[in-house]
Amino acid sequence: MTRLGRWLALDRQRGSLFLWVPVCLGCGIGLYFLLPVEPDRRDWLLLAGAIGAGAVALAAGLWHWPLFGGLLLVGIGVGLAGLRTDMVAGPTLDFRYYGAVQGRIVTIDRSASEKTRLTLDRVVLERTDPARVPLRVRVSLHGAQDWIDPKPGQTVILTAHLSAPEGPVEPGGFDFRRMAWFDRIGAVGYTRTPALLIADAPDGQIVARLRTRIGAYIRATLPGETGAVATALTTGDRSYIGAVTMETLRASNLAHLLAISGLHMGLLTGVVFGALRLVLVAVPRVALRWPTKSLAAVGALAAAAFYLALSGGNVATQRAFVMVAVMLTAILLGRRAVTLRAVAVAAVIVLCLRPEALTEPGFQMSFAATTALVAVFRWLRGIPGLPRRGILGWIVALIISSAVAGAATAPFSAAHFNQIAQYGLLANLLSVPVMGVLVMPAAVLSAVLAPIGGAWIGLWLMAIGIDWILGVAHWVAGLGGAVIAVPAPGPAALPLLAVGGLMVMAWNGVGRWVGVIPLAAAAGLWMVHDRPALLIDPGGSLVGIMGPEGRVLSKPRGAGFAARVWLENDGDSADQPTAAARQGWVDNTFAFAGQTVHHVYGRGWEARARAMCTEQTIVVTTGDLAGTGPCLMFDETTLARTGAVAISRQHSGIRIKTAIGEASRRPWTGYKSPDQAIRGEEVGDRIAAAMP
């Protein structure tokens, strides 16, 4: 143990133990989200007692700080996540609703089908008990919607179809219900009738009105996609950007330039800080009597706060503001701004305020990039002869930062979005400097000149940079093999990757290379993770079976979201019509693992389904059949109790998983009593027992 302690350099970790505070908090938060059942009041009281006793023991010196302090932080992380879950709790619609919906517009965005989508609060549902009405609903606007120009703060009424947020489209997959729970969205749906304005935004919503006016002015001055991108960069409203442009930016790994996150907040505050300090230093009386560096930091912090409010204050922007605020505060206190400790402080604040952020790709990618950049440039400070000043030093720093940030975020991007932009480094090298040198300074210039009517000058300069970035995106996306599809990893891959990466970057001494072990384990688990051979969507309207060319879908249209998710998780870049045209399905029938799978839908479905329900067959249908017969029947009633179904081949036969059987009994899943989840598990067991 003594040798191991020396090799791990435990005595050298004293000064960097704080770096592991957010790691321990994150472990506790992750543990909370892995629990199969929501803790009850007794469990929370026991946890609170254990935390209190542990804190007293640590304060009295009875426990060793590094080990037991870490365990205490894990417990605090569990408690923070549970507290946040209770704070955002609200009703979830437990029935299908069709009727009038009234509410105030909170946010406006676009759905995957390019439809305008409104998130409403202060919701009123016709003939519905207020106690059952969700705190927020999200509605997609279909059909002609020319009656109003939606703006945040307006009160609208529309006739909509609403239902509870849907569960995963495959067992163990992404559960939209959890994300909706923490966004306080208790129902989602759509309307095909016009949305009507009841009341305009109140006069008190100055920031919302300012956002709307700025966005309208930018789009009037810079038409087309250039104006849409400029609006996104200044106000955070991406709803005007076309689907083709978004796909091009994703394929070139430049979509992150649209999200107002750490890059934009850092560039903005850097420009403001540098400009203010230059102006203050230029006045000798001020430069000799006042702390110009601190004054510039205060001004940059005020600019960052204004940018946060103007952009709508989404989660990514809040996280970026916290990171920038921590670093500017370090400048005010006379400390080094860019350190791993500053990154750790920002992570602790974000996790305390929004524990659920740990599971989101934005949090994972932004802190992975920031941590890697700080660690790498700290290591590079000890390398002699490396250019650090002038144009050459700037070019070297740009190349290194782009490569490091791309490498740090690539695994998380691949895991969440199932693709890697092969030429992303090239696109970022050609675009990020333009963003920093031209686009963001021009945005600041436009804001400064706006009171005297000169905003158009900044926007004109901004347009030059945006057009360059869009041109780079189109060129890179058009290169052969620009996008590589990647299959989804197993559930343990990303946690192992994070632990290994943090060990390598934050541990002092040779012991950091222990982190290579979990990194290798994550890569190995990712490569050997198998995808289910057969998938059935929760409504029974789509079946996908793995064939020699990839997954073969039973229909070229319908259940498009499930089809897209299945193919993306397979690492398959094909679209639904292409996947449906592959060989395998013949007259809605597929031979699978010694069984015959029938997907029955359309006119005369009931008679055909009953005729096909024989031994050694699997029948999937959207209808409801009383009694299953000798076949394995997935009809409306069965799927309502199982959710999505996944069937995998095994040496002894097949293994069946159901979404409800895999789900935990948590507030966001809707399984409020143990019996509901047990029935779902029993359905899965009964199905498995019925198979040979």
Side-chain angles (χ1 to χ4, degrees):
M1 293 297 295
T2 303
R3 291 179 186 173
L4 179 62
R6 290 175 181 172
W7 188 77
L8 291 174
L10 294 178
D11 57 329
R12 294 178 55 188
Q13 311 309 316
R14 293 288 180 183
S16 59
L17 286 178
F18 182 76
L19 304 182
W20 298 95
V21 170
V23 178
C24 294
L25 284 177
C27 289
I29 295 169
L31 177 62
Y32 169 80
F33 285 117
L34 288 175
L35 293 175
V37 180
E38 186 69 17
D40 57 22
R41 182 175 298 178
R42 182 185 63 180
D43 298 326
W44 290 123
L45 290 175
L46 288 173
L47 178 63
I51 291 174
V56 171
L58 286 172
L62 301 178
W63 283 0
H64 189 248
W65 261 104
L67 176 60
F68 292 102
L71 292 176
L72 181 65
L73 288 169
V74 170
I76 292 173
V78 174
L80 286 172
L83 179 62
R84 173 69 176 170
T85 299
D86 186 67
M87 289 175 60
V88 300
T92 298
L93 199 66
D94 54 1
F95 61 97
R96 289 190 174 275
Y97 173 86
Y98 174 71
V101 180
Q102 178 180 318
R104 183 184 65 171
I105 300 176
V106 179
T107 58
I108 305 170
D109 62 352
R110 286 186 182 271
S111 65
S113 59
E114 284 295 292
K115 303 298 182 183
T116 300
R117 193 165 57 183
L118 307 179
T119 300
L120 309 176
D121 68 355
R122 300 181 184 178
V123 180
V124 178
L125 300 183
E126 186 180 15
R127 301 186 305 276
T128 303
D129 182 358
R132 302 177 68 187
V133 176
L135 298 176
R136 291 183 176 185
V137 301
R138 196 166 72 182
V139 184
S140 296
L141 306 183
H142 295 250
Q145 296 290 343
D146 301 328
W147 297 90
I148 64 169
D149 180 17
K151 297 179 178 65
Q154 292 177 337
T155 300
V156 298
I157 189 169
L158 44 87
T159 302
H161 298 263
L162 296 178
S163 60
E166 293 186 355
V169 295
E170 62 177 80
F174 171 74
D175 195 345
F176 171 69
R177 295 171 298 185
R178 187 175 71 186
M179 186 179 73
W181 175 271
F182 287 100
D183 288 338
R184 300 188 177 186
I185 297 175
V188 295
Y190 65 93
T191 179
R192 298 189 184 280
T193 59
L196 303 177
L197 179 66
I198 291 182
D200 209 342
D203 294 335
Q205 294 193 348
I206 300 174
V207 175
R209 288 178 175 270
L210 182 61
R211 288 185 69 207
T212 302
R213 290 179 60 185
I214 290 175
Y217 176 79
I218 291 173
R219 291 189 300 277
T221 307
L222 305 176
E225 293 298 294
T226 303
V229 172
T231 302
L233 294 175
T234 51
T235 68
D237 184 1
R238 291 187 281 175
S239 61
Y240 294 92
I241 300 177
V244 175
T245 300
M246 282 299 303
E247 189 60 33
T248 300
L249 290 167
R250 291 192 188 102
S252 57
N253 198 27
L254 294 178
H256 67 93
L257 296 180
L258 296 179
I260 298 179
S261 55
L263 173 66
H264 305 78
M265 194 68 76
L267 291 174
L268 175 80
T269 53
V271 169
V272 173
F273 177 82
L276 285 177
R277 195 173 183 194
L278 184 63
V279 170
L280 293 172
V281 170
V283 182
R285 182 174 298 180
V286 174
L288 293 174
R289 296 184 180 183
W290 295 89
T292 57
K293 189 175 182 180
S294 298
L295 291 175
V298 172
L301 184 59
F306 177 75
Y307 195 31
L308 172 67
L310 184 65
S311 65
N314 60 46
V315 177
T317 314
Q318 293 174 17
R319 183 171 57 247
F321 175 77
V322 168
M323 297 178 70
V324 166
V326 168
M327 295 179 182
L328 291 174
T329 302
I331 293 176
L332 289 172
L333 298 176
R335 308 292 293 272
R336 179 179 292 175
V338 184
T339 64
L340 285 177
R341 186 179 292 270
V343 177
V345 171
V348 168
I349 294 173
V350 172
L351 290 176
C352 288
L353 294 176
R354 301 181 64 94
E356 72 277 9
L358 180 75
T359 64
E360 298 171 356
F363 175 91
Q364 296 169 11
M365 294 174 68
S366 63
F367 277 99
T370 306
T371 305
L373 286 169
V374 174
V376 168
F377 278 96
R378 183 182 64 175
W379 296 339
L380 292 177
R381 283 203 302 267
I383 298 179
L386 191 69
R388 290 178 173 83
R389 298 184 180 277
I391 298 296
L392 182 59
W394 180 75
I395 293 174
V396 170
L398 173 64
I399 295 173
I400 293 174
S401 59
S402 297
V404 170
T409 58
F412 298 95
S413 176
H416 290 289
F417 307 115
N418 302 107
Q419 66 178 30
I420 294 177
Q422 189 170 353
Y423 306 112
L425 175 59
L426 174 62
N428 279 274
L429 287 174
L430 294 174
S431 301
V432 173
V434 176
M435 179 67 73
V437 174
L438 182 58
V439 176
M440 295 309 295
V444 175
L445 178 64
S446 181
V448 171
L449 296 178
I452 59 174
W456 64 271
I457 300 174
L459 291 179
W460 177 75
L461 293 172
M462 220 176 153
I464 296 173
I466 291 173
D467 288 341
W468 169 267
I469 292 171
L470 292 177
V472 169
H474 283 284
W475 174 64
V476 170
L479 297 176
V483 176
I484 300 175
V486 179
L494 281 187
L496 286 171
L497 186 73
V499 170
L502 288 169
M503 190 75 182
V504 170
M505 290 184 288
W507 198 263
N508 293 322
V510 182
R512 66 162 43 99
W513 301 116
V514 173
V516 174
I517 298 174
L519 288 175
L525 289 175
W526 199 325
M527 289 188 291
V528 301
H529 181 63
D530 287 331
R531 295 284 298 145
L534 186 150
L535 288 168
I536 303 172
D537 93 300
S541 56
L542 189 68
V543 182
I545 301 178
M546 194 66 75
E549 302 174 89
R551 193 168 302 277
V552 189
L553 301 180
S554 58
K555 295 165 59 177
R557 297 181 62 185
F561 178 72
R564 189 177 78 249
V565 171
W566 291 352
L567 294 170
E568 287 178 352
N569 288 341
D570 291 340
D572 191 340
S573 57
D575 57 13
Q576 184 172 354
T578 302
R582 292 167 175 165
Q583 292 185 352
W585 288 98
V586 178
D587 295 330
N588 297 327
T589 300
F590 200 109
F592 169 76
Q595 307 285 312
T596 302
V597 182
H598 301 285
H599 188 202
V600 185
Y601 56 91
R603 183 175 299 177
W605 67 269
E606 183 173 359
R608 289 186 287 118
R610 292 190 183 278
M612 293 174 178
C613 187
T614 60
E615 293 184 359
Q616 302 295 310
T617 62
I618 301 173
V619 177
V620 182
T621 181
T622 55
D624 188 9
L625 291 173
T628 60
C631 68
L632 181 59
M633 176 71 71
F634 290 99
D635 62 353
E636 183 180 9
T637 300
T638 302
L639 290 170
R641 300 180 66 192
T642 63
V645 176
I647 303 178
S648 301
R649 296 185 181 94
Q650 291 187 334
H651 295 297
S652 58
I654 61 174
R655 181 186 180 188
I656 299 180
K657 288 184 178 181
T658 64
I660 292 180
E662 293 290 305
S664 54
R665 298 194 295 274
R666 311 304 296 275
W668 50 83
T669 61
Y671 310 136
K672 302 188 184 302
S673 69
D675 291 341
Q676 286 181 281
I678 290 172
R679 282 201 298 270
E681 293 167 357
E682 287 175 349
V683 169
D685 294 340
R686 177 178 60 80
I687 292 172
M691 300 300 293

